[in-house]
Amino acid sequence: MTVDTSTWQTFEFGDIAQNLTKAIKDPLSEGFERFVGLENIEPKNIHIKSWGNISDGTTFTRVFRKGQVLFGKRRAYLRKAALAEFDGICSGDILVFEANEENVIPELLPFIVQSDKFFDYAIKTSAGSLSPRTKFKDLAKLKFKLPLLDEQKQLADLLWSVDDLIEEKKSLNEMILDMFKIIENHCFAEDSKYMKNLKVVDLKKFVDQFIVPMRDKPKIFDGDIPWCRIEDFDGMFLLDSRSGKYVSNQVIREMNLKVYPKGTVLVTCSADLGRCAITAAELVTYPKS
């Protein structure tokens, strides 16, 4: 994909956004319900996923409104910036940006602040040893090239469409992880009917079904099919062999190993019991067929 930037204009950040510093002493009486601290902004996440209730008490006073951008000026290397999707108050270590709509559309501003260029400059201009902070007067000097407003709308629509896909994937991942937790808690809890009905002799027989290739056997790991170990179960998807071990078809035949196709749900049954993952590629693991 190529983008023609010959018609784009150069702006300083201070020309496309203003830093708002309005503060109120009694936010509850003004109708505000939620507050946001630095801990509520996740690194590299454009959405605010958590917040505090003002009724529970807070010392924050800085006001922000829906559609504005919150940027963590303290420890900018944590890369915390997000779009405000509700009205509230926030920490003094958060800068509140509002788009100057003469030069930039509000929908594009969150992505500008989320860009590597912006964060890198914020880190570079931060001062302080233990808790470095950047200032708006320094950030205001950072230059960006931007298209005309109509083109900005097209660009923003594209970026938000990608963000929608990312959020949908995150939601799906969370649902799958919840499913795994249900499996773990139901099947492997001490009071589970599966554990109660399992006899020691059955467990011995079950464990005997497992086999590990002898590492001193010639050409044991010279194939192209990923070999999965329990240590590889550190995420939802088993993409490949993180150990760099690959089993040959000859070894699979000789040792009667099982090849699992993409999309198989695997549950560990020894060592770290009950860990789950989905195979994102064809691979081989311990159990016989």
Side-chain angles (χ1 to χ4, degrees):
M1 178 179 179
T2 58
V3 178
D4 182 10
T5 62
S6 60
T7 61
W8 290 23
Q9 292 180 276
T10 299
F11 297 95
E12 291 187 344
F13 185 71
D15 295 325
I16 63 177
Q18 57 180 321
N19 179 39
L20 305 181
T21 58
K22 179 180 179 181
I24 53 176
K25 294 182 179 180
D26 189 0
L28 277 177
S29 66
E30 297 285 341
F32 293 94
E33 298 179 354
R34 292 179 275 189
F35 70 83
V36 173
L38 282 175
E39 69 276 7
N40 299 119
I41 302 178
E42 299 176 4
K44 300 182 180 181
N45 193 333
I46 205 169
H47 300 281
I48 298 174
K49 300 292 187 178
S50 68
W51 52 82
N53 295 314
I54 296 175
S55 58
D56 294 333
T58 181
T59 59
F60 299 159
T61 59
R62 179 165 295 172
V63 175
F64 66 84
R65 298 288 183 179
K66 180 179 179 180
Q68 294 170 349
V69 179
L70 306 185
F71 171 77
K73 69 175 183 179
R74 180 164 65 93
R75 294 175 179 164
Y77 57 81
L78 295 176
R79 298 177 181 265
K80 292 189 173 187
L83 172 69
E85 297 174 323
F86 52 85
D87 294 347
I89 59 173
C90 64
S91 163
D93 281 324
I94 295 176
L95 300 181
V96 180
F97 299 146
E98 183 174 71
N100 177 359
E101 297 188 41
E102 291 184 0
N103 297 324
V104 68
I105 62 173
E107 295 85 355
L108 189 59
L109 184 60
F111 295 101
I112 294 175
V113 178
Q114 272 272 346
S115 67
D116 288 339
K117 181 176 181 178
F118 191 89
F119 278 123
D120 291 344
Y121 188 79
I123 296 169
K124 180 181 178 181
T125 56
S126 294
S129 55
L130 296 178
S131 188
R133 290 172 171 83
T134 187
K135 297 179 180 179
F136 180 73
K137 68 176 184 179
D138 295 320
L139 297 174
K141 301 174 184 178
L142 179 59
K143 295 182 179 180
F144 288 92
K145 289 188 69 175
L146 296 176
L148 300 177
L149 294 179
D150 289 343
E151 294 179 56
Q152 288 183 26
K153 179 64 168 57
Q154 297 177 19
L155 179 58
D157 288 345
L158 175 61
L159 291 171
W160 282 113
S161 295
V162 173
D163 179 75
D164 288 341
L165 292 175
I166 293 173
E167 289 301 306
E168 288 178 8
K169 182 177 179 181
K170 286 181 180 178
S171 297
L172 177 60
N173 288 353
E174 290 173 359
M175 291 174 60
I176 294 175
L177 286 173
D178 287 342
M179 178 190 72
F180 285 167
K181 287 300 180 183
I182 292 173
I183 293 174
E184 291 174 347
N185 294 335
H186 185 62
C187 294
F188 302 106
E190 291 184 3
D191 59 349
S192 167
K193 65 179 182 179
Y194 298 99
M195 297 299 288
K196 284 182 177 180
N197 295 333
L198 187 64
K199 300 177 182 179
V200 174
V201 64
D202 296 329
L203 183 61
K204 173 68 165 59
K205 181 179 179 181
F206 183 69
V207 172
D208 282 345
Q209 294 178 2
F210 290 78
I211 186 168
V212 180
M214 297 296 293
R215 298 183 184 276
D216 57 353
K217 188 173 181 178
K219 299 183 179 180
I220 196 74
F221 290 122
D222 65 349
D224 56 5
I225 302 175
W227 171 260
C228 171
R229 308 164 304 161
I230 290 179
E231 293 92 326
D232 295 326
F233 281 67
D234 63 352
M236 184 189 311
F237 297 102
L238 293 172
L239 299 175
D240 207 333
S241 172
R242 293 188 176 91
S243 65
K245 303 295 186 182
Y246 295 86
V247 182
S248 66
N249 284 312
Q250 178 182 350
V251 171
I252 293 173
R253 289 193 301 269
E254 290 179 357
M255 307 192 74
N256 198 23
L257 296 175
K258 177 69 174 179
V259 179
Y260 290 95
K262 177 181 178 180
T264 303
V265 177
L266 300 180
V267 182
T268 60
C269 297
S270 64
D272 196 354
L273 186 68
R275 299 177 69 179
C276 304
I278 299 176
T279 60
E282 184 180 71
L283 54 78
V284 178
T285 189
Y286 293 132
K288 285 185 177 182
S289 58

